[in-house]
């Protein structure tokens, strides 16, 4: 199949404004009398709030509003489990929790006002690690989890917020069938999304009381949900507009500062800009969870995996913003492999640490670092090549995941074969302190259950509008947010393809709760897959309206009309065609009126076939698979790891915009490198010790190796043109690939992230002494 | 205490009264309404606020108002000339070097400063020149390619 617009990489719609510095981010909006907001954070990890006295702050000249919990309804908000107050009441649960906020004429005055607010606390015993939180008699971070609203049932107990277990076959008896068994434990660290733009919002209240907020969020409709439930505002009085988003990576999908900005604007009667500092980013926003895990895997002599048993525990901090049941994490814990006997438990535990939420492939990097490290150790124990071991057990069409879902169109095998070829070509004889490592990943996919209801909340409704102007140009209206990954450009390519018009003639109105249709969130590596279909339907709807007019005018049945090059024409006779422009103009005078295509509810229209095909079973379409290979050099004197070469092969189903996909993979690898080697938010008794980019080290240009990226295209069943998602998977295999390469280079196994020079050095020392570090 | 500051920004002369503890970034954003330079960390770590002062790239969040008296400042808004994009801006667009765009103004100015001194840098020299500008989206690969393309050199 050849396409006119798909498979090319036209310049993205949003980048010209970004290149000239005119794109407006959340703090780039100016208004007369604009006030600056600042937040007062808790210095206590766990304490009862006895009294808050704001009187001195209110009297400071230039201060226009001070808010505390007394200005909010005592309602909890949150994306999945509603556990978080907008401003703390009763008690605080972590160092950094917002307690009060002020709006003043300028930032200096606002900061001075914060110092004048007096809060009396009565400290409470606190828990700072998974072990402390799960100890018997541990102090409770949340006293009354049973009262919290949530979208799916919680299995809570003590500080355990939720647990999930997946069981398949009979693990207990399966060990006897195994010739090799390997058992190990792992630890991963807290990391921040590291977007360069902190959270920013500007809120304005008009004379009628209607609030408009320009925010750094990528999910304006989810923010609106939180404002409705948290502030009690009706939707008619809230308009959330996603401004340009300076990086998201999962961290900007929930209401964090917007409710405070709005309360300050309401109370002062003036526009308010509220932007977090970098330190506030590291101490008061949702970050990726630390985990501890144990894993045991058994295999037959020929490499067939037989059984997996494991447990992974996520420290969710004082508040949890993650979606979904823990079965999801348990499922990822055994990777893209066919294993008949499975018993995996995943737990999420509250502590008095900073709150935890989504970060690029939420829960997956922590779950797949263990499995991919583990397979490497198992392969070595068995004398097998790690790629061959994976190939032997890689998921194939029709295989079942541990939860019983049937896998459609997996690409794991193809990525492994490409990696094998690459290594065969590039991996030359051994050099001292140099080694290669390989790791794969399994992510996402769209699940459909027996009743046809999607199992992941992410995949709920979606709608789009396609307007055709009288000159044949097109406007796409969608709730999707352009957070830098290119969604609005990819969706525009689809519109151009369906209508046969130039990509340049498509413009986009997006991410505005008043102006665009509802869209849950631009995330989950599902925008192209899910919204791409919705947009395709909307464009097809517009096209059929144009075709009807063309059919009448040319007296040719619709079934014999073709679309392309800006025209609708009888099959094979482009020269007889009528231009889209003339048809759209004619539409103004036609019975149907102006051309307005709509597409909605992808589920009903596209996935019904999938549900029927499932015949009562659970199916997973478009799983996202990849394999990475990396060559490292380890300095035996310092432990420093240098990345020499990096290969990544991803199955993308169908590459609608190859350059964009490469960009996602390159950026994902960079983020993975930081996770693997340098990044860690260090907390000591709940206090964040390195809340800045000096001590929290993001990869720079100097850390990037040469990248070799290959795409494979195993089409998905129901994604637009066979496309699958790509945003999240590239980060997942990086850390285990590097851990495996370090072992290959110097024979030491790192089971804890990040693999800093110090950790590698200590492991080398321990190996020389014959002890474990 | 307020200072009288004379400075030239993107070819335009300004006389401002500015409190002494204000930074060049504050002057650009809050006094002149030039929002191209971004606040990312205010510690000089991220480079999102990079501008050129007398042709040299600086973190404008670390430069105090008094230090820019009589200086010539170039921000991202001053790169395009006569309605034409600067070759670096075109290259960033064509090479897919822009994702979220928050680091882009700083990246462009660091790259511009490099090319003004060294019109044909090696890939390694480009990496060194951009090492103070953090980007979380791109993995830097396409940014480095874009800068090299302007010099006529091929990919790293």
């Amino acid at each position: 199949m050849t396409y006119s617009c798909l498979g090319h990489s036209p310049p993205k719609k949003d980048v010209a404004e970004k290149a000239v510095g005119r794109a407006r981010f959340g703090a780039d909006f100016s208004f007369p009398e604009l006030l600056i907001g600042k937040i007062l954070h808790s210095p206590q990890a766990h304490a009862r709030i006895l009294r808050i006295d704001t009187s001195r702050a209110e009297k400071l000249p230039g201060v226009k509003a001070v808010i505390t919990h007394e200005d909010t309804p005592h309602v909890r908000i949150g994306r999945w489990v509603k556990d978080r107050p907008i401003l703390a009441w009763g008690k605080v649960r972590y160092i950094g929790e917002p307690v009060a906020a002020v709006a003043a004429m300028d930032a200096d005055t606002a900061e001075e006002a914060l110092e004048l607010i007096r809060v009396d606390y009565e400290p409470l015993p606190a828990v700072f690690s998974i072990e402390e939180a799960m100890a018997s008699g541990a102090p409770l971070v949340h006293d009354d989890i049973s009262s919290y609203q949530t979208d799916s049932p919680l299995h809570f107990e003590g500080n355990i917020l939720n647990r999930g277990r997946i069981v398949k076959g009979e693990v207990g008896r399966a060990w006897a069938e195994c010739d090799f068994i390997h058992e190990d434990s792992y630890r991963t660290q807290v990391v921040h999304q590291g977007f360069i733009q902190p959270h920013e919002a500007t809120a304005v209240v008009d004379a009628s009381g209607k609030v408009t907020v320009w925010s750094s969020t990528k999910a304006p409709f989810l923010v609106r949900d939180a404002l409705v439930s948290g502030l009690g505002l009706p939707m008619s009085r809230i308009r959330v507009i996603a401004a340009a988003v300076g990086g998201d990576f999962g961290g900007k999908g929930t209401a964090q500062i917007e409710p405070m900005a709005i309360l300050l604007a309401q109370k002062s009667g003036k526009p308010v800009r509220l932007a977090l500092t970098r330190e506030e980013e590291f101490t008061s926003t949702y970050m990726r969870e630390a985990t501890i895990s144990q894993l045991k895997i058994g295999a037959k002599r020929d490499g067939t995996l037989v059984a997996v048993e494991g447990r992974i525990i996520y420290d969710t901090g004082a508040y949890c913003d993650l979606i979904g049941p823990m079965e999801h994490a348990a499922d990822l814990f055994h990777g893209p492999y066919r294993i008949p006997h499975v018993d995996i438990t995943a737990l999420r535990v509250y502590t008095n640490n900073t709150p935890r939420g989504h970060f690029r492939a939420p829960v997956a990097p922590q779950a797949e670092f263990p499995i991919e490290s583990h397979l490497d150790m198992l392969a070595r124990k068995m004398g097998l090549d790690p790629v061959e071991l994976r190939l032997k057990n890689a998921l194939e069409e029709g295989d079942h995941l541990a939860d019983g879902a049937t896998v459609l169109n997996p690409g794991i095998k193809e990525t492994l074969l490409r990696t094998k070829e690459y290594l065969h070509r590039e991996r030359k004889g051994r050099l001292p302190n140099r080694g290669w490592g390989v790791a794969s990943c399994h992510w996402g996919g769209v699940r459909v259950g027996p009743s046809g209801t999607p199992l992941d909340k992410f995949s709920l409704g979606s709608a789009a509008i396609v307007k055709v102007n009288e000159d044949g140009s097109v406007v796409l209206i969608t709730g999707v947010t352009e957070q830098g990954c290119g969604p609005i450009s990819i969706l525009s390519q689809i519109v151009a393809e369906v209508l046969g018009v130039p990509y340049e003639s498509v413009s986009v109105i997006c991410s505005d709760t008043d102006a665009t249709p509802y869209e849950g969130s631009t995330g989950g590596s599902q925008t192209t897959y899910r919204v791409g279909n919705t947009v395709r339907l909307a464009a097809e709807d517009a096209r059929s309206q144009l075709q009807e007019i063309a059919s009448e005018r040319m007296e040719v049945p619709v079934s014999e009309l073709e679309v392309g090059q800006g025209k609708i024409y009888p099959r094979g006779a482009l020269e007889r065609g009528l231009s889209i422009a003339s048809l759209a103009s004619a539409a103004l005078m036609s019975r149907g009126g102006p051309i307005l295509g709509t597409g909605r509810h992808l589920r009903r229209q596209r996935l019904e076939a999938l549900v029927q095909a499932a015949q009562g079973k659970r199916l997973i379409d478009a799983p996202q698979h990849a394999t990475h290979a990396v060559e490292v050099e380890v300095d035996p004197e310092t432990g420093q790891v240098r990345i020499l070469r990096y290969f990544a092969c991803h199955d993308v189903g169908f590459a609608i915009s190859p350059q964009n996909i490469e960009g996602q993979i390159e950026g994902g690898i960079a983020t993975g490198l930081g996770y693997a080697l340098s990044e860690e938010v260090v907390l000591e008794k709940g206090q964040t010790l390195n809340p800045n980019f000096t001590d929290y080290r993001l990869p720079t240009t100097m850390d990037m190796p040469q990248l070799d990226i290959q795409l494979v295209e195993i089409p998905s069943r129901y994604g637009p043109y066979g496309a699958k998602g790509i945003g999240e998977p590239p980060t997942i295999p990086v850390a285990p690939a590097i851990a495996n390469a370090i072992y290959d280079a110097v024979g030491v196994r790192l089971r804890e992230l990040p693999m800093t020079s110090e950790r590698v050095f200590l492991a080398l020392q321990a190996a020389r002494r014959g002890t474990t570090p | 205490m307020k200072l009288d500051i004379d400075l030239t920004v993107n070819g335009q002369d300004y006389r401002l009264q500015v409190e002494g503890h204000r930074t060049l970034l504050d002057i650009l954003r809050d006094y002149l309404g030039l929002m191209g330079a971004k606040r990312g960390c205010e510690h000089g770590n991220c480079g999102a606020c990079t501008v050129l002062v007398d042709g040299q790239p600086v973190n404008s969040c670390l430069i105090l108002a008094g230090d820019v008296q009589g200086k010539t400042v170039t921000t991202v808004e001053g790169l395009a000339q006569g309605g034409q994009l600067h070759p670096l801006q075109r290259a960033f667009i064509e090479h897919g070097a822009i994702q979220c765009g928050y680091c882009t103004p700083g990246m462009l100015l660091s790259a511009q400063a490099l090319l003004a001194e060294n019109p044909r840098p090696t890939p390694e020299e480009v990496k060194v020149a951009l090492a103070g500008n953090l980007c979380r989206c791109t993995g830097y690969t396409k940014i480095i390619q874009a800068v090299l393309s302007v010099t006529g050199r091929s990919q790293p």
Side-chain angles (χ1 to χ4, degrees):
Chain A
M1 183 78 195
T2 55
Y3 297 110
S4 61
C5 191
L6 307 179
H8 304 283
S9 304
K12 290 190 285 179
K13 294 284 178 192
D14 52 315
V15 294
E17 282 290 273
K18 289 173 175 175
V20 297
R22 283 202 299 257
R24 288 209 285 178
F25 295 81
D28 297 344
F29 295 81
S30 292
F31 294 93
E33 300 188 282
L34 179 75
L35 303 180
I36 302 299
K38 290 279 173 190
I39 301 166
L40 182 71
H41 301 273
S42 165
Q44 297 280 340
H46 197 195
R48 219 178 301 287
I49 300 172
L50 301 176
R51 197 172 68 103
I52 305 177
D53 180 0
T54 60
S55 56
R56 289 177 63 214
E58 282 159 17
K59 285 186 200 123
L60 184 70
V63 170
K64 301 296 176 186
V66 181
I67 55 168
T68 68
H69 68 90
E70 289 183 5
D71 298 278
T72 73
H74 281 193
V75 172
R76 295 178 186 279
I77 60 173
R79 194 155 154 196
W80 167 60
V81 55
K82 296 193 189 319
D83 63 357
R84 175 171 62 102
I86 292 168
L87 290 164
W89 75 82
K91 66 178 189 176
V92 290
R93 295 180 174 82
Y94 72 93
I95 297 172
E97 179 161 5
V99 176
V102 301
M105 302 289 281
D106 55 52
D108 294 343
T109 309
E111 271 164 20
E112 196 180 337
L114 293 183
E115 289 172 21
L116 298 176
I117 298 173
R118 182 172 165 177
V119 186
D120 294 335
Y121 296 100
E122 178 193 327
L124 296 167
V127 288
F128 299 113
S129 67
I130 289 167
E131 292 87 346
E132 286 173 22
M134 291 178 69
S136 69
L140 292 180
V141 181
H142 292 263
D143 317 307
D144 192 14
I145 297 175
S146 64
S147 70
Y148 292 174
Q149 287 178 32
T150 177
D151 290 341
S152 53
L154 290 172
H155 307 284
F156 59 90
E157 181 190 354
N159 283 316
I160 297 171
L161 168 61
N162 200 10
R163 68 168 74 224
R165 183 176 176 199
I166 51 172
V167 178
K168 187 170 87 167
E170 287 187 69
V171 165
R173 289 168 58 175
W175 302 120
E177 293 175 35
C178 300
D179 299 307
F180 291 91
I181 294 172
H182 185 76
E183 234 179 315
D184 233 313
S185 51
Y186 306 85
R187 266 178 192 275
T188 67
Q189 79 281 32
V190 178
V191 284
H192 189 279
Q193 295 84 355
F195 31 69
I196 311 302
Q197 178 209 26
H199 283 78
E200 298 173 341
T202 305
V204 176
V205 186
D206 76 8
S208 74
K210 175 148 184 163
V211 178
T212 301
V213 59
W214 288 266
S215 160
S216 55
T217 186
K218 60 106 172 250
F221 290 89
L222 296 187
V223 170
R224 186 180 69 174
D225 289 348
L227 298 174
V228 168
S229 62
L231 297 181
L233 288 169
M235 285 189 190
S236 61
R237 291 178 63 182
I238 311 168
R239 182 178 186 185
V240 183
I241 302 171
V245 180
D248 154 47
F249 316 112
K252 291 175 178 165
T254 198
Q256 297 198 55
I257 56 172
E258 296 84 354
M260 288 181 267
I262 289 171
L263 287 166
L264 289 169
Q266 286 176 321
K267 195 161 182 180
S268 65
K270 305 214 184 298
V272 171
R273 178 193 295 161
L274 182 59
L276 296 186
T277 63
R278 186 54 54 184
E279 180 171 346
E280 288 177 303
E281 277 296 335
F282 278 110
T283 54
S284 68
T285 68
Y286 291 108
M287 288 159 268
R288 179 184 288 159
E289 320 94 316
T291 62
I292 53 176
S293 58
Q294 293 98 36
L295 192 60
K296 178 180 177 185
I297 297 184
K300 292 195 169 153
R301 202 171 307 280
D302 67 354
T304 308
L305 298 178
V306 175
V308 52
E309 185 174 7
R311 189 165 93 133
I312 182 162
I313 310 175
Y314 293 77
D315 172 356
T316 210
Y319 298 102
C320 168
D321 197 52
L322 280 108
I323 283 174
M326 294 311 292
E327 283 79 2
H328 176 50
D331 192 30
L332 293 168
F333 202 37
H334 75 71
Y337 307 108
R338 188 173 49 242
I339 310 180
H341 303 279
V342 178
D343 188 348
I344 298 172
T345 302
L347 299 155
R348 181 173 290 292
V349 176
Y350 279 129
T351 62
N352 293 107
N353 291 322
T354 45
R356 305 295 152 75
H358 293 83
F359 180 4
R360 208 167 187 169
V363 307
Q366 304 100 308
E368 300 196 37
F369 171 63
I371 174 75
E372 293 297 327
S373 301
H374 213 85
L375 286 185
D376 198 71
M377 285 186 265
L378 193 63
R380 287 171 188 281
K381 217 174 193 174
M382 300 170 70
L384 291 175
D385 178 83
V387 176
E388 294 296 343
L389 176 66
R390 287 176 172 82
L391 266 172
K392 189 164 183 67
N393 297 283
L395 286 172
E396 292 184 62
E397 171 97 15
D399 279 342
H400 302 293
L401 293 178
D403 68 353
T406 306
V407 181
L408 303 178
N409 50 72
I412 181 64
K413 222 162 195 170
E414 192 61 32
T415 68
L416 281 162
L417 288 169
R418 294 282 192 99
T419 306
K420 189 175 156 181
E421 280 168 26
Y422 173 84
L423 289 171
H424 184 71
R425 197 171 61 241
E426 301 293 333
R427 185 179 190 163
K428 306 272 155 59
R430 291 200 69 89
L431 287 169
N433 303 316
R434 286 194 181 189
W436 285 88
V438 169
S440 298
C441 84
H442 173 70
W443 174 250
V446 174
R447 283 156 184 271
V448 179
S451 64
T453 47
L455 299 177
D456 36 353
K457 188 189 174 196
F458 252 127
S459 308
L460 289 170
S462 168
I465 298 166
V466 168
K467 275 197 322 176
V468 184
N469 294 321
E470 303 90 277
D471 66 351
S473 63
V474 181
V475 182
L476 166 66
I477 305 173
T478 167
V480 159
T481 299
E482 178 54 71
Q483 79 292 58
C485 302
I488 64 166
S489 304
I490 291 165
L491 298 175
S492 297
Q493 283 180 268
I494 292 174
V495 170
E497 186 70 39
V498 171
L499 289 171
V501 298
Y503 168 80
E504 294 71 28
S505 72
V506 181
S507 43
V508 183
I509 300 288
C510 67
S511 53
D512 175 333
T513 56
D514 270 8
T516 71
Y518 183 92
E519 204 63 65
S521 174
T522 304
S525 303
Q526 287 195 14
T527 304
T528 299
Y529 180 96
R530 185 173 58 85
V531 189
N533 268 332
T534 313
V535 165
R536 185 179 180 178
L537 288 171
E540 285 171 354
D541 184 24
R543 185 180 65 189
S544 56
Q545 293 169 30
L546 291 162
Q547 280 172 323
E548 274 174 38
I549 299 170
S551 170
E552 275 175 30
R553 298 214 149 191
M554 292 189 277
E555 299 184 338
V556 174
V558 167
S559 59
E560 288 171 29
L561 292 175
E562 288 191 354
V563 178
Q565 298 186 43
K567 286 182 171 183
I568 294 184
Y569 54 93
R571 184 161 302 134
L574 179 66
E575 71 288 354
R576 287 181 51 209
L578 295 172
S579 69
I580 301 283
S582 67
L583 293 166
S585 295
L588 300 181
M589 299 298 166
S590 75
R591 277 167 298 165
I595 303 295
L596 191 69
T598 59
R600 64 193 180 88
H601 222 299
L602 128 93
R603 290 281 152 194
R604 194 170 298 156
Q605 301 197 36
R606 286 268 170 199
L607 290 190
E608 209 148 75
L610 174 62
V611 173
Q612 281 172 9
Q615 295 180 323
K617 295 191 295 264
R618 301 207 283 183
L619 291 184
I620 176 162
D621 185 36
Q624 294 144 41
H625 291 154
T627 303
H628 290 192
V630 58
E631 185 183 21
V632 305
E633 181 172 41
V634 181
D635 184 332
E637 301 305 317
T638 63
Q640 193 184 15
V641 177
R642 200 155 70 92
I643 309 296
L644 302 175
R645 274 192 299 180
Y646 204 101
F647 169 82
C649 180
H650 283 256
D651 170 28
V652 298
F654 169 65
I656 290 177
S657 171
Q659 186 191 62
N660 206 2
I661 287 175
E662 283 171 26
Q664 291 304 299
I665 296 173
E666 290 160 1
I669 291 170
T671 298
L673 288 174
Y675 189 54
L677 297 174
S678 64
E679 292 179 36
E680 177 171 15
V681 179
V682 182
L683 290 122
E684 192 176 293
K685 297 212 174 300
Q687 182 84 48
T688 305
L689 300 184
N690 57 341
N692 56 68
F693 281 150
T694 312
D695 301 313
Y696 182 93
R697 233 182 60 72
L698 256 54
T700 73
T701 50
M702 306 306 290
D703 300 305
M704 288 307 291
Q706 188 184 322
L707 305 180
D708 186 347
I709 291 165
Q710 285 190 22
L711 306 182
V712 298
E713 296 179 311
I714 313 285
S716 68
R717 288 277 211 297
Y718 302 99
Y721 310 94
K724 295 174 178 172
I726 188 61
E728 288 158 306
T731 60
I732 302 172
V734 184
I738 292 173
N740 297 342
I742 291 172
Y743 185 88
D744 192 49
V746 291
V748 297
R749 176 57 59 179
L750 278 291
R751 297 171 179 83
E752 184 170 2
L753 298 179
M755 298 174 282
T756 55
S757 301
E758 186 182 354
R759 283 213 174 100
V760 176
F761 174 77
L762 291 174
L764 283 165
Q765 267 201 331
R768 284 176 203 136
R769 287 199 308 263
T771 58
T772 48
Chain B
M1 193 191 74
K2 291 206 170 182
L3 304 174
D4 289 317
I5 307 280
D6 295 289
L7 81 168
T8 305
V9 181
N10 300 333
Q12 176 77 44
D13 294 333
Y14 293 93
R15 163 157 286 195
L16 303 167
Q17 275 212 320
V18 181
E19 287 152 316
H21 68 283
R22 293 287 171 207
T23 65
L24 175 56
L25 181 61
D26 294 333
I27 293 176
L28 294 172
R29 292 182 60 89
D30 301 339
Y31 289 72
L32 305 183
L34 293 168
M35 296 295 191
K38 298 300 178 198
R39 271 183 224 279
C41 69
E42 297 191 278
H43 282 72
N45 295 138
C46 76
C49 66
T50 304
V51 300
L52 305 184
V53 174
D54 290 347
Q56 292 301 309
V58 298
N59 288 311
S60 62
C61 71
L62 297 183
I63 305 288
L64 287 172
D67 294 332
V68 293
Q69 166 61 34
K71 304 280 189 188
T72 297
V73 177
T74 305
T75 72
V76 69
E77 289 94 338
L79 274 183
Q81 293 292 328
Q84 292 290 309
L85 291 180
H86 187 280
L88 277 168
Q89 290 171 317
R90 278 205 303 276
F92 269 53
I93 292 171
E94 283 164 16
H95 284 79
I98 302 173
Q99 289 191 29
C100 84
Y102 206 73
C103 76
T104 305
M107 285 284 182
L108 286 167
L109 290 162
S110 289
Q112 163 64 11
L114 168 71
L115 298 186
E117 280 197 357
N118 177 3
R120 283 180 63 76
T122 63
E124 197 58 26
E125 287 168 334
V126 173
K127 282 188 169 189
V128 170
L130 301 182
N133 293 80
L134 295 178
C135 168
R136 189 59 146 179
C137 297
T138 64
Y140 307 103
T141 308
K142 296 199 186 306
I143 292 174
I144 295 164
Q145 285 168 0
V147 176
L148 288 171
S149 77
V150 171
T151 70
R153 280 187 194 266
S154 60
Q155 299 179 1

